Amino acid sequence: MSRLGPFVTLAAGAVLAAGLGVASATAAPAGETVAAAEQVTGATAQTTSAPGEEAAKPVVVRADYAGRVERTRALIAVSIRGAKAIGYFCDGKTEAWFIGPVDGDKVKLKGFGDAKLNATFGGGRAEGVVALGGKEWDFVAPTVKKPSGLYRATRIVRGAKIKASWIYLANPNGDGFIQVGTASVNDSRVTTPTFTPDRPINVNGEYVVPEDVDGFVEEMS
Amino acid sequence: MTAVYPQQRRSAVPLLVPLLAGGLVMVALGVYGRLHTPTGFAIGPAGFSGALPMKAWLTTGAFVLAIVQVVSALSMWGKIGIRIPAGVHRWSGRLAFLLSVPVAFHCLYALGLQYDVPRVLVHSLLGCFFYGVFTAKMLALPRRGLPGWALPVLGGLAFTALVGLWLTSSFWFFTAIGVTL
């Protein structure tokens, strides 16, 4: 028995690694998670399907959308978490955060000043209008799954407040990822470092660990 | 003159297969780490705020168990005058190895073998080396007629590699980022 022990140990490690491999490869595409309408308080049931059955109509309770903003170099991300939605627009120079409640399959999110983001979502995509600095653009953003999505990092190091945000998006042509982001120290811009998922990122000499939406949604209000 | 013959012939030959297998594991992990396109995402144990804290803490768990390994090995070889049951060495080793698997899986599957900064280069190479040495140690254990130095050397290398891995990951993370769960 004890002569077999070491082989069993190696085999157990191999089986564990294989299990993690299968789980990771088949991980459910995050996309959209729907729930019956009555489970979400304050949400009016309104989706594309079955207009007659109010009670059973599914509403999106969790989703991540990201895509390009038409006629710009910007990317936009919209994430739904229960009754709360977060939006982020960034072209590498201008950035804007949006937040607001979910109303059925619509969001009307407010940003700083008169910036706003209105979108309708469901069926695998969000589409709408983002208005910023007196201009507005249309966008269509499909659902994305990890590692694509919205990331944010904040950290205070010796009194200096570091902030960085990125939208990271699988290239629609299948060739790697595209990204935009901004980084700042004490609210003044610094060079935006390249985002690599699940790795610490060096912002102006200090390391931060970007969080996905689940990691920072609670902090945003 | 009386010649003293050892009761059992000891040679390094029985080490050959374990060392070859370990070398293959080492190379295979490195090649996989380069050829596989990093996914940037992997399934792992839940309960941590992110993948990096999960890895930092599991590696720290393995590191603590590795110290138990050295102490219990010294006891086994009669070097410290305390008797520690053999089961302590076996099970602390198994547990340390199993704790390391989700970490290494995330490294290789989500991040790949990288060498953009020295810390990451050293960590990548040590990671491949560790599993090679560990495989060699496991395969050498049941073999009879090994030279007396074989298991201490393999175990010592595995321990050294693990300490290096902990320093270049968990310790770096806790000092550069902070101690977070």
Side-chain angles (χ1 to χ4, degrees):
Chain A
M1 217 26 220
S2 101
R3 285 172 72 81
L4 270 179
F7 297 105
V8 174
T9 303
L10 284 176
V15 167
L16 177 55
L20 289 167
V22 170
S24 297
T26 59
E32 291 171 335
T33 310
V34 294
E38 63 270 20
Q39 289 177 359
V40 185
T41 49
T44 6
Q46 229 173 37
T47 46
T48 48
S49 61
E53 306 162 79
E54 289 260 296
K57 260 190 273 178
V59 292
V60 174
V61 291
R62 179 197 165 87
D64 294 296
Y65 306 97
R68 290 179 183 279
V69 180
E70 289 173 20
R71 297 177 290 118
T72 68
R73 302 166 67 88
L75 298 182
I76 194 159
V78 177
S79 288
I80 310 294
R81 292 291 182 275
K84 191 175 183 180
I86 285 174
Y88 182 65
F89 168 100
C90 185
D91 65 3
K93 290 193 179 109
T94 307
E95 67 165 356
W97 285 96
F98 302 88
I99 190 155
V102 174
D103 179 14
D105 64 346
K106 290 186 178 63
V107 287
K108 286 185 175 174
L109 310 183
K110 281 187 61 62
F112 188 75
D114 61 354
K116 58 187 172 59
L117 188 166
N118 295 341
T120 307
F121 58 89
R125 63 187 198 163
E127 51 182 301
V129 180
V130 57
L132 193 66
K135 293 182 190 170
E136 47 176 72
W137 299 276
D138 295 334
F139 68 87
V140 178
T143 52
V144 293
K145 60 172 182 169
K146 275 196 154 192
S148 293
L150 176 57
Y151 293 88
R152 192 186 78 149
T154 53
R155 193 181 164 208
I156 295 171
V157 187
R158 291 181 292 278
K161 188 169 187 198
I162 303 170
K163 279 199 274 187
S165 313
W166 294 266
I167 295 172
Y168 188 72
L169 192 57
N171 202 333
N173 68 17
D175 181 22
F177 289 82
I178 51 175
Q179 58 177 285
V180 293
T182 60
S184 65
V185 177
N186 286 333
D187 292 323
S188 57
R189 285 290 170 83
V190 296
T191 311
T192 310
T194 303
F195 173 80
T196 310
D198 274 356
R199 279 191 65 176
I201 309 292
N202 185 334
V203 177
N204 209 35
E206 298 289 350
Y207 282 91
V208 295
V209 177
E211 295 177 302
D212 58 17
V213 173
D214 292 321
F216 65 78
V217 66
E218 298 297 329
E219 299 160 24
M220 298 203 72
S221 56
Chain B
M1 290 275 274
T2 317
V4 181
Y5 294 101
Q7 288 187 321
Q8 191 180 21
R9 187 183 294 268
R10 286 166 180 266
S11 81
V13 175
L15 263 182
L16 211 58
V17 170
L19 286 180
L20 272 176
L24 280 176
V25 167
M26 227 176 265
V27 172
L29 290 178
V31 168
Y32 174 82
R34 280 314 290 171
L35 291 186
H36 170 78
T37 308
T39 59
F41 165 74
I43 297 283
F48 298 91
S49 62
L52 297 184
M54 178 275 285
K55 293 170 76 177
W57 286 108
L58 290 196
T59 308
T60 300
F63 172 72
V64 170
L65 289 168
I67 294 169
V68 175
Q69 284 279 289
V70 171
V71 174
S72 54
L74 286 172
S75 147
M76 212 184 288
W77 291 77
K79 299 287 182 190
I80 49 171
I82 318 167
R83 279 181 60 87
I84 298 176
V88 171
H89 187 75
R90 280 191 201 129
W91 282 100
S92 62
R94 281 174 185 153
L95 194 55
F97 171 62
L98 290 180
L99 281 179
S100 80
V101 170
V103 180
F105 176 76
H106 182 279
C107 290
L108 282 164
Y109 185 82
L111 306 179
L113 189 139
Q114 304 290 343
Y115 38 77
D116 47 358
V117 287
R119 175 186 72 83
V120 174
L121 168 74
V122 170
H123 187 82
S124 292
L125 296 180
L126 274 179
C128 298
F129 179 77
F130 172 79
Y131 286 101
V133 168
F134 185 80
T135 304
K137 166 97 194 291
M138 287 298 104
L139 295 181
L141 270 174
R143 302 213 160 217
R144 299 190 197 283
L146 289 175
W149 50 263
L151 293 179
V153 164
L154 287 174
L157 285 173
F159 175 75
T160 308
L162 192 64
V163 171
L165 285 167
W166 180 80
L167 287 171
T168 53
S169 59
S170 304
F171 180 75
W172 179 87
F173 183 86
F174 293 143
T175 49
I177 309 272
V179 181
T180 49
L181 266 178

